[in-house]
Amino acid sequence: MRRQQRILLFVLLLIPVLAFSRYLAENESDHNALTKLIERSYIHGAFMEMNVSDMRAGFQPAFHFYGSEQGALRDVSISEWLTSVERRKTTQDRFEIEHKIISIDITGTSALAKVEIYQDGSLLFTDYLTCLKFTEGWKIMSKVYHRH
């Protein structure tokens, strides 16, 4: 009887450990997928390489970005932004930037990423990217930024 109780106790203790391990693995997988999405579609797509195909692949069609410029709301749709990126690409007005992904907070199928953009060593923007996970993967839904 004592042996059976030990085995039962071991199994009962093992179940939460296995469940938590699965949760960590899924969260790490989502974190890696979001990091790749931000790098490819946002950093390289919008700034470094100005690759609108990569932007389209990573941004949800309803995407907008918002900021406060001199006290007024700036609201830019994805189609307006893609046009702007294409124009910059043809004029060679490229951004030479560095970036840091400060944090990625994931809750189920929602995520918020904080990204800092630097130019010539100075902090230029702090961006907050909201993301949602769909059957085909993560998409960037919106951006709110602060210009330093």
Side-chain angles (χ1 to χ4, degrees):
M1 182 77 167
R2 196 99 157 112
R3 185 170 188 258
Q4 289 175 340
Q5 287 175 335
R6 279 191 233 144
I7 291 171
L8 180 60
L9 180 62
F10 175 76
V11 169
L12 290 175
L13 291 173
L14 186 60
I15 290 172
V17 169
L18 292 175
F20 186 68
S21 297
R22 181 173 178 220
Y23 166 79
L24 287 178
E26 287 174 3
N27 200 33
E28 182 178 355
S29 173
D30 284 334
H31 190 277
N32 290 341
L34 284 160
T35 299
K36 288 177 185 175
L37 171 68
I38 292 165
E39 295 280 346
R40 188 188 87 238
S41 295
Y42 183 56
I43 299 300
H44 290 280
F47 297 105
M48 307 285 274
E49 298 166 11
M50 295 187 223
N51 185 330
V52 296
S53 295
D54 282 348
M55 289 179 71
R56 281 191 186 96
F59 287 86
Q60 213 279 338
F63 171 91
H64 277 248
F65 77 72
Y66 305 95
S68 176
E69 294 284 340
Q70 300 170 342
L73 175 65
R74 182 169 184 216
D75 175 359
V76 178
S77 70
I78 189 64
S79 60
E80 293 170 295
W81 196 20
L82 291 169
T83 300
S84 173
V85 169
E86 282 288 356
R87 187 172 46 250
R88 275 197 339 260
K89 188 174 184 174
T90 60
T91 62
Q92 300 298 319
D93 188 15
R94 295 177 187 256
F95 282 99
E96 293 297 325
I97 64 161
E98 295 177 13
H99 72 283
K100 291 181 188 173
I101 298 175
I102 302 301
S103 63
I104 297 176
D105 187 4
I106 304 166
T107 304
T109 59
S110 301
L112 176 67
K114 180 179 180 180
V115 181
E116 292 180 344
I117 306 292
Y118 295 83
Q119 191 171 39
D120 299 323
S122 296
L123 182 57
L124 188 62
F125 294 106
T126 299
D127 298 329
Y128 295 90
L129 305 175
T130 59
C131 304
L132 288 175
K133 188 175 186 179
F134 298 94
T135 53
E136 68 274 7
W138 288 97
K139 297 287 184 182
I140 301 171
M141 297 299 299
S142 68
K143 168 182 136 170
V144 175
Y145 71 92
H146 173 75
R147 181 188 304 264
H148 294 271

